[in-house]
Amino acid sequence: MLLLLLRLVNMADQNKTGTEGKLFSEILSPSELFAARSRSHKIPVRGQKDFFPNDSDEQRQRLEQSLNEHWSLTSEERVERLGNLVKAVWIPSDQIVELQSPAGKFWQTMGFSANGKQYLLPEEALYLMECGNVQVFYRDLPLSIQDGYERFLSSATVTLQQYQVFGHLKRLGYVVHRFDPSSEPSSYARQLNLPQSRDRAGRQLKRKRSPSPTATCSYTEAQVESTIEKMEEDKCSLEGDDAKKLAASPDIQTATTSGADEGRSWWMTDDLGASDKELHHSPTSGSSRWDFSSIPFPDVGSSERHPSCLAPPEPSLLPGDLTVGVCDIASWRRKINLRMVKMSSKEQKREKDTRRRRWDVNKDREVRRCRNWAEYHELLARRQRKRKGRPAHLWNREVTPLHDPKQPISTGELLDKISVIKSTHLLEGASRLKGSEQWRICFNVYQPDTVADFKKSNPGKPYSRMCVCSFDGPVPDLRAIKLLAFQSGDIPVVFAVVDHGDISFYTFKDFQLPTDVFP
Amino acid sequence: MEDSPSMDDHQDSSLVVGVGLCDSAPLLWRLQDLKTARRLGLVGALLGSLPRTPRQNQRLGRPLLLLPEEEQLLRDEEAAGALPGPNQDVGGAELRRQFEEDQQRSFEEQSVLALEDRKSALRRAMTSSHTGSESGAEAVDEALCGRLEALDHSFSFPQSAMAVQLSTARAGLSYCPEARAHLQASWPIREQNNPRSDARYQVFRDLRGRGFYLTSAGKFGGDFLVYPGDPLRFHAHFIAVCLTLDESICLLDVLAVARLGSNVKKTVLLCSPVPDGGVCYTSLQWSGMV
């Protein structure tokens, strides 16, 4: 009987407003409003989609059913009990909504108090209008949702895209507040909470010196020094030695030194069967290994009688105008195959005395080269530095070694010193960046499960901060990311990318490349 | 709230879609406009909370946001007009008086309905509890009359119990289709003249003309998702990427979009408008290593 009554009233309404008005009028009649109490609050589940359209009746029917369901859901108007609605007014001059009846449950996470009154931000008010919790009036007339969208959303308050993100997050249950950069702690204040930075001074560890690699050559301390000197002087001849070794081997094929790109091919040698005494000017074809059986290295270490001189290398092997003469290896041969003589303490003492007596400073060639005392002091200082491991040719120039070998350093730190590309962290240089119009943080987002204890006066740290952008705009560049990370502090920044109703969330996570060096 | 079928067919060809601008985005608010747009094959995207269940994101409600291509298509077909903005409708004392009258009338009618509702509930309760002999039935009737009379006197319908509508679309926008000319004149010019958006529009027009339904495909790395039928019932077949003919595309981008397409089981279409007005389509198929 009630159904019939409704029908009659409905038809009466129709006749009143006219057919055209009815087409666009979405105002519910009082009977419709009353009947809305028994509306279902369930959304029908969407069925399986088809893949390919054929002209079957079945598909047509299902499409019609889906469409009808869609229209019936979309056409439903919001109907609320007047007692459940909070009354509010829109104040355009302040772009704010003032509550005129006491706030409901939403007050725990939304709105603010000022001058003894309760207010809502425009985006909060619009969201609550859409939820059917608040009725906002302007000039004594209720605002529709359309009015809310068109009046409340603008670049001065919150844009449509930002509101989409706001609404999306609120519907999921998050607490979303506007971000205020001035209320964030300064970088210094934040610094006090940062974890300890790495100690760059390096740890001074006492390390055991690794044993000398060559067991056959044993030098005493004093001889090391003189050997080093000699080695410096004989550097050229040693290079010549290397080249000579190769030249002496007749079986090596060498390329001409004319072509610069072929200059490095002299070490390429094919596996040879027959010995070949001539030098070949053939380009390398494929790589080969050294054929050590065919490369005669002069055996300067054997005790057999050998020429005390090494022949000069083939001039064609030497770069440029370098000429090298015969190398006298007699002094070298004297220094090898030495054995550490174990002397008793008395013998050592005697040895030291005779050495001291025999040692004549004037016999020293370098001392003889000094023309005055100043130069002699310089010589002594130089030798002192060499002894300490800081030779002048390394340390007295514009370019000095990266690290003093006498200083202990861990492998990881040494690698850091060597590294050409220095690792950096995101916030480096960020404090110098000026703000940008395009990229700014819009919202603070707090997690849903904190709603019960949430206090607006002390919200605590947000879960993340939102920056709203769209697929039409540019991807945030490093500058933008640095800027936003700096503004945000230690809260991750999430980019909410809006694409016509779809929102995708992206965030950049900090990442450290693993270094597999452990000190 | 349903339109009778005969009305639909009659109004079909002459309906003009009213578009509201919000923060310079084209939005459709009225259900009839949404239906008209859908009939023209324009899907759009719903942005608002669904009135029935506002706190979920699976199904959203009005307004419907149009793609710039959809808006331009409507404009080119002369099937759309701009709705007046919010400030133009601010009523004077007349509207306020009307509103208060309507509210009062609604309250009175609802009170009547509420009383009726209570009475029938009472009747149901009393008759169902006495399913007995005829002698019992008379007693029941008497008691019932008594109770109903008491209800008439004591029943009160408080103001707070009144049901109120929170309108989605702005009230009073019941335009007649003949007002189309008026609407056209007030259309704001918001064209983007760059080759990219021209290409997108050409492709949109062509695909729509072939009967496909198109939606935005930003999160698929393309310009449009192409459906063979209404998206409510069919899955998308293609991801359309729009390029101008003289635009050079990096091979890595082609590979990336091809990979993406194969991951979501859709074919990637590279679309370029050709000078003669048509559109040239190239599909990418991942065939694997030979």
Side-chain angles (χ1 to χ4, degrees):
Chain A
M1 196 204 101
L2 187 61
L3 209 58
L4 183 62
L5 179 65
L6 279 174
R7 271 259 191 70
L8 286 168
V9 177
N10 222 348
M11 276 159 60
D13 278 337
Q14 229 172 17
N15 291 328
K16 201 167 30 169
T17 54
T19 49
E20 285 152 358
K22 177 71 177 83
L23 207 56
F24 285 108
S25 166
E26 292 172 346
I27 300 175
L28 298 173
S29 67
S31 47
E32 284 169 322
L33 290 173
F34 188 76
R37 292 177 317 161
S38 46
R39 259 189 210 160
S40 160
H41 281 273
K42 284 206 288 258
I43 324 176
V45 176
R46 275 203 256 245
Q48 283 275 355
K49 286 195 192 179
D50 296 319
F51 186 72
F52 204 82
N54 48 47
D55 278 322
S56 68
D57 280 332
E58 202 188 328
Q59 271 191 3
R60 208 182 356 255
Q61 218 174 356
R62 276 206 288 252
L63 174 62
E64 208 178 301
Q65 197 183 357
S66 293
L67 272 176
N68 285 338
E69 188 183 278
H70 181 73
W71 294 134
S72 101
L73 274 179
T74 321
S75 65
E76 250 179 30
E77 289 286 313
R78 290 167 180 84
V79 177
E80 292 293 327
R81 213 173 147 268
L82 193 59
N84 294 347
L85 285 172
V86 174
K87 193 160 181 264
V89 285
W90 165 242
I91 305 173
S93 51
D94 297 328
Q95 299 277 290
I96 209 84
V97 171
E98 181 188 316
L99 296 185
Q100 293 192 322
S101 63
K105 247 183 11 184
F106 61 79
W107 191 249
Q108 191 176 14
T109 54
M110 290 191 261
F112 62 97
S113 299
N115 309 328
K117 298 190 205 162
Q118 293 179 318
Y119 294 96
L120 283 173
L121 291 169
E123 68 270 18
E124 293 172 334
L126 186 55
Y127 172 72
L128 289 170
M129 279 168 69
E130 287 201 279
C131 287
N133 295 129
V134 165
Q135 194 179 25
V136 183
F137 285 81
Y138 178 57
R139 298 200 192 172
D140 297 323
L141 287 172
L143 291 176
S144 61
I145 308 290
Q146 181 178 358
D147 286 318
Y149 268 75
E150 291 175 3
R151 287 175 195 274
F152 297 0
L153 302 182
S154 70
S155 42
T157 54
V158 161
T159 65
L160 178 63
Q161 283 184 350
Q162 289 167 350
Y163 179 71
Q164 276 179 254
V165 176
F166 179 86
H168 180 94
L169 292 170
K170 292 246 27 131
R171 283 190 285 268
L172 289 173
Y174 289 94
V175 177
V176 186
H177 285 171
R178 280 196 199 173
F179 175 74
D180 178 17
S182 59
S183 67
E184 289 302 306
S186 72
S187 60
Y188 176 65
R190 262 189 260 127
Q191 259 181 346
L192 299 176
N193 288 332
L194 279 179
Q196 283 285 319
S197 61
R198 253 195 33 194
D199 184 17
R200 295 199 146 268
R203 289 173 296 171
Q204 301 287 330
L205 284 178
K206 287 270 181 275
R207 288 186 176 285
K208 272 172 63 172
R209 286 269 175 90
S210 49
S212 161
T214 51
T216 50
C217 329
S218 11
Y219 297 100
T220 59
E221 281 281 327
Q223 280 174 327
V224 166
E225 188 199 296
S226 48
T227 319
I228 289 173
E229 284 175 44
K230 193 115 203 325
M231 275 166 72
E232 282 170 28
E233 289 158 25
D234 298 342
K235 225 197 298 197
C236 286
S237 53
L238 276 179
E239 273 179 13
D241 251 351
D242 284 337
K244 264 188 291 172
K245 288 173 203 165
L246 290 166
S249 120
D251 290 334
I252 292 184
Q253 290 179 329
T254 57
T256 58
T257 49
S258 53
D261 51 340
E262 293 182 64
R264 281 160 57 103
S265 53
W266 52 263
W267 62 76
M268 305 287 201
T269 166
D270 293 337
D271 283 331
L272 299 163
S275 60
D276 197 356
K277 293 221 186 259
E278 289 174 19
L279 291 168
H280 288 252
H281 303 299
S282 58
T284 53
S285 58
S287 63
S288 317
R289 292 193 313 220
W290 292 84
D291 183 10
F292 292 103
S293 59
S294 57
I295 303 172
F297 288 95
D299 183 4
V300 295
S302 71
S303 43
E304 296 164 13
R305 287 248 1 124
H306 265 271
S308 57
C309 299
L310 288 178
E314 188 72 27
S316 61
L317 294 174
L318 297 174
D321 296 326
L322 191 66
T323 52
V324 177
V326 165
C327 177
D328 178 22
I329 54 171
S331 63
W332 170 258
R333 295 192 73 206
R334 276 197 293 276
K335 291 180 190 166
I336 58 173
N337 286 335
L338 294 175
R339 252 190 357 250
M340 181 76 157
V341 174
K342 269 216 152 127
M343 292 184 278
S344 68
S345 55
K346 218 196 279 181
E347 281 182 319
Q348 279 178 8
K349 197 174 173 297
R350 205 187 325 139
E351 197 56 41
K352 217 191 294 180
D353 284 339
T354 45
R355 217 186 309 143
R356 207 187 298 133
R357 265 186 267 124
R358 259 193 259 143
W359 179 61
D360 182 5
V361 66
N362 293 313
K363 281 201 194 140
D364 194 326
R365 223 184 328 159
E366 279 195 323
V367 174
R368 278 219 285 271
R369 265 186 268 164
C370 297
R371 291 167 298 173
N372 52 42
W373 279 105
E375 285 183 14
Y376 179 65
H377 280 297
E378 243 177 78
L379 173 66
L380 287 181
R382 207 164 52 234
R383 284 195 180 156
Q384 173 85 351
R385 278 198 299 268
K386 262 189 235 159
R387 239 195 313 273
K388 293 269 187 315
R390 292 183 77 94
H393 70 276
L394 286 181
W395 292 97
N396 284 7
R397 304 250 189 97
E398 313 91 45
V399 181
T400 57
L402 202 53
H403 181 74
D404 186 353
K406 292 217 193 275
Q407 293 296 321
I409 187 170
S410 70
T411 320
E413 285 170 18
L414 185 61
L415 283 178
D416 271 347
K417 273 192 161 184
I418 295 170
S419 66
V420 172
I421 301 170
K422 284 214 172 307
S423 63
T424 178
H425 58 96
L426 186 62
L427 293 176
E428 194 171 308
S431 54
R432 282 184 269 113
L433 291 172
K434 278 196 258 302
S436 107
E437 269 308 303
Q438 194 177 26
W439 299 104
R440 53 182 200 87
I441 299 176
C442 307
F443 301 118
N444 291 334
V445 178
Y446 304 85
Q447 281 199 296
D449 50 356
T450 60
V451 165
D453 324 302
F454 190 82
K455 283 187 180 6
K456 281 183 294 195
S457 50
N458 183 21
K461 264 194 183 177
Y463 172 64
S464 72
R465 298 199 217 262
M466 286 288 147
C467 174
V468 178
C469 48
S470 91
F471 280 118
D472 298 329
V475 177
D477 54 4
L478 182 61
R479 186 186 183 282
I481 299 172
K482 270 188 194 281
L483 179 69
L484 294 176
F486 181 70
Q487 282 179 356
S488 171
D490 49 355
I491 313 286
V493 173
V494 176
F495 292 89
V497 188
V498 180
D499 168 44
H500 279 97
D502 259 336
I503 306 176
S504 314
F505 296 94
Y506 298 96
T507 185
F508 293 93
K509 279 194 156 17
D510 216 359
F511 178 71
Q512 295 283 338
L513 279 177
T515 51
D516 56 352
V517 172
F518 295 98
Chain B
M1 273 304 291
E2 314 115 43
D3 296 307
S4 56
S6 58
M7 242 196 306
D8 267 352
D9 293 342
H10 168 70
Q11 303 285 1
D12 207 327
S13 49
S14 54
L15 276 179
V16 172
V17 169
V19 179
L21 279 182
C22 166
D23 194 20
S24 70
L27 298 179
L28 299 187
W29 288 97
R30 308 179 297 184
L31 185 76
Q32 195 50 245
D33 291 331
L34 269 77
K35 282 186 171 176
T36 312
R38 196 72 174 222
R39 241 178 266 126
L40 292 171
L42 305 178
V43 178
L46 290 169
L47 299 186
S49 304
L50 190 69
R52 182 179 280 204
T53 43
R55 286 181 172 85
Q56 45 82 31
N57 283 313
Q58 271 66 52
R59 288 186 98 135
L60 296 177
R62 287 176 279 162
L64 186 85
L65 174 68
L66 293 176
L67 287 172
E69 291 77 29
E70 289 172 334
E71 184 197 351
Q72 196 170 346
L73 191 69
L74 284 174
R75 201 165 356 123
D76 287 352
E77 315 250 299
E78 294 187 350
L83 292 173
N87 289 317
Q88 293 163 5
D89 261 4
V90 173
E94 170 64 31
L95 271 178
R96 275 196 284 279
R97 197 182 52 78
Q98 182 73 41
F99 170 68
E100 269 159 46
E101 269 182 28
D102 288 340
Q103 288 293 90
Q104 185 58 31
R105 195 170 47 85
S106 175
F107 175 67
E108 283 161 8
E109 282 191 40
Q110 284 188 44
S111 307
V112 168
L113 288 167
L115 179 58
E116 229 6 87
D117 188 54
R118 270 293 278 282
K119 283 181 176 173
S120 51
L122 192 59
R123 271 191 216 101
R124 271 199 307 274
M126 294 205 53
T127 49
S128 68
S129 59
H130 295 312
T131 53
S133 50
E134 289 162 12
S135 55
E138 281 183 15
V140 165
D141 272 343
E142 269 186 45
L144 189 60
C145 283
R147 292 280 282 275
L148 287 175
E149 265 189 55
L151 199 59
D152 269 327
H153 294 306
S154 67
F155 182 77
S156 71
F157 186 65
Q159 185 86 4
S160 62
M162 179 171 84
V164 154
Q165 176 183 359
L166 301 160
S167 300
T168 312
R170 189 155 47 244
L173 292 177
S174 40
Y175 284 106
C176 307
E178 284 79 45
R180 181 198 321 205
H182 161 74
L183 292 175
Q184 269 302 106
S186 55
W187 190 263
I189 313 287
R190 298 178 311 110
E191 297 196 19
Q192 289 175 308
N193 286 324
N194 63 67
R196 200 81 210 301
S197 56
D198 280 343
R200 275 179 63 123
Y201 180 62
Q202 291 302 321
V203 173
F204 182 90
R205 253 204 115 105
D206 191 73
L207 285 172
R208 179 81 281 284
R210 289 166 193 259
F212 291 101
Y213 287 68
L214 296 123
T215 59
S216 181
K219 62 179 187 192
F220 286 91
D223 286 302
F224 303 113
L225 270 184
V226 184
Y227 296 81
D230 196 298
L232 278 177
R233 277 253 52 96
F234 299 100
H235 290 293
H237 282 184
F238 307 108
I239 302 171
V241 177
C242 304
L243 305 159
T244 56
L245 269 183
D246 48 10
E247 189 179 334
S248 61
I249 183 169
C250 169
L251 185 62
L252 288 175
D253 291 341
V254 176
L255 284 174
V257 78
R259 266 291 189 197
L260 224 163
S262 64
N263 275 358
V264 293
K265 298 196 194 66
K266 299 188 202 305
T267 308
V268 176
L269 274 185
L270 301 179
C271 319
S272 301
V274 291
D276 69 359
V279 178
C280 166
Y281 298 99
T282 313
S283 68
L284 299 180
Q285 186 189 10
W286 194 267
S287 65
M289 305 277 272
V290 178

